């Protein structure tokens, strides 16, 4: 089966930087994704890493190390609207289905 | 475009009742998925349909059935609801092909079973 570990909660102030780590154990690996969910609403896609290294999209960056089965999501210049839950997810086969971590709740304080 | 539409948004059932959750997508995606989300447990895959005409079990399929009615629609049925099935249910769809194919989610169905 698949197993993903990520911290349950992170709190930071506006303007700060937050790193959400994700370690995974899977039978196969096609890529690591990150999704954001506000207030229990529809999760939305943030980023994807299939190869080792850093992917940057605006204030958000995502990193992957396949040899360590580890990745992280970096949130920079935190804003109040970044308060949400963040999920890492692994695609472990050719059929596009994902296995999700339990999620990290990020709270941004003024 | 509406994206992924789920109906109903809220539902309360009594133990033993049956219910079908509807999902439709207008993005011409090949793959569709049903998840449940419980507090502290993230999203768990119930069933998925890699393409029209196929369905497969996910992590937590017991107590559920699905139907891929056509390319647009993928329904989830609870034949005899149990309190343990109280949850938020999300439908998602994705395209298929080389590289990343992100999943697009509906707004969810909040289901309570008394």
């Amino acid at each position: 089966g698949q197993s993903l570990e990520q911290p349950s909660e992170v709190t930071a102030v506006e303007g700060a930087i937050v790193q959400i780590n994700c370690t995974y154990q899977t039978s196969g690996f096609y890529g690591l994704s990150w999704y954001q969910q506000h207030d229990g609403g529809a999760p939305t896609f943030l980023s994807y890493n299939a190869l080792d290294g850093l992917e940057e999209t605006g204030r958000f960056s995502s990193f992957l190390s396949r040899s360590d089965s580890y990745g992280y999501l970096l949130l920079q210049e935190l804003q109040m609207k970044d308060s949400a839950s963040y999920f890492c997810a692994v695609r472990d086969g050719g059929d596009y289905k994902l296995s999700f971590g339990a999620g990290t709740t990020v709270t941004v304080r003024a | 475009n509406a994206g992924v539409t789920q109906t109903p948004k809220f539902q309360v059932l009594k133990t033993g009742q049956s219910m079908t959750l509807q999902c439709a997508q207008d993005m011409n995606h090949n793959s569709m998925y049903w998840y449940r989300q419980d507090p502290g447990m993230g999203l768990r895959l119930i069933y998925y349909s890699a393409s029209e005409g196929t369905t497969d079990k996910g992590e937590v399929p017991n107590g559920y059935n699905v139907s891929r009615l056509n390319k647009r629609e993928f329904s989830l049925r609870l034949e005899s609801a149990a309190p343990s099935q109280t949850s938020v249910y999300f439908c998602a769809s994705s395209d298929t092909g080389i590289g990343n194919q992100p999943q697009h989610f509906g707004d969810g169905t909040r289901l309570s079973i008394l």
Side-chain angles (χ1 to χ4, degrees):
Chain A
Q2 295 74 33
S3 171
L4 294 94
E5 296 286 336
Q6 54 181 124
S8 59
E9 296 181 29
V10 174
T11 300
V13 297
E14 275 186 298
I17 298 173
V18 160
Q19 179 173 318
I20 304 170
N21 298 320
C22 175
T23 58
Y24 59 87
Q25 290 183 319
T26 61
S27 53
F29 183 81
Y30 280 66
L32 181 71
S33 299
W34 291 91
Y35 285 77
Q36 179 190 59
Q37 184 183 38
H38 280 106
D39 298 323
T44 56
F45 170 76
L46 285 178
S47 68
Y48 173 77
N49 295 71
L51 302 175
D52 291 354
L54 191 68
E55 295 283 342
E56 297 181 79
T57 308
R59 294 186 297 113
F60 294 178
S61 303
S62 59
F63 172 82
L64 175 66
S65 169
R66 288 175 297 169
S67 61
D68 295 323
S69 298
Y70 163 77
Y72 65 72
L73 180 70
L74 193 71
L75 315 180
Q76 302 180 79
E77 302 172 21
L78 273 179
Q79 301 176 8
M80 298 298 288
K81 66 180 181 179
D82 298 330
S83 291
S85 293
Y86 294 84
F87 297 88
C88 58
V90 167
R91 178 186 165 196
D92 62 356
D95 55 4
Y96 302 93
K97 64 181 176 69
L98 298 175
S99 295
F100 283 81
T104 300
T105 299
V106 173
T107 302
V108 181
R109 299 181 306 175
Chain B
N1 284 341
V4 178
T5 302
Q6 292 184 235
T7 56
K9 295 189 185 304
F10 302 92
Q11 185 69 48
V12 178
L13 294 177
K14 294 181 179 179
T15 298
Q17 287 185 315
S18 62
M19 170 83 189
T20 299
L21 279 59
Q22 307 287 352
C23 175
Q25 52 93 8
D26 63 3
M27 295 170 283
N28 201 37
H29 285 166
N30 289 317
S31 298
M32 298 186 73
Y33 314 84
W34 275 106
Y35 296 90
R36 61 177 289 173
Q37 185 174 31
D38 302 296
M41 298 188 74
L43 292 153
R44 292 186 292 168
L45 185 65
I46 305 171
Y47 270 93
Y48 67 103
S49 171
S51 61
E52 186 179 357
T54 69
T55 60
D56 286 286
K57 295 178 180 180
E59 181 185 353
V60 288
N62 291 345
Y64 305 94
N65 286 301
V66 290
S67 295
R68 184 73 182 267
L69 304 171
N70 47 57
K71 192 171 185 179
R72 290 186 64 249
E73 299 172 286
F74 188 38
S75 62
L76 178 72
R77 182 161 178 85
L78 288 70
E79 289 291 351
S80 180
S84 61
Q85 295 178 304
T86 292
S87 189
V88 181
Y89 291 85
F90 286 100
C91 176
S93 69
S94 72
D95 210 342
T96 54
I98 297 172
N100 180 42
Q101 301 296 339
Q103 293 189 9
H104 300 258
F105 286 80
D107 289 333
T109 295
R110 274 95 184 138
L111 184 60
S112 293
I113 310 210
L114 306 177

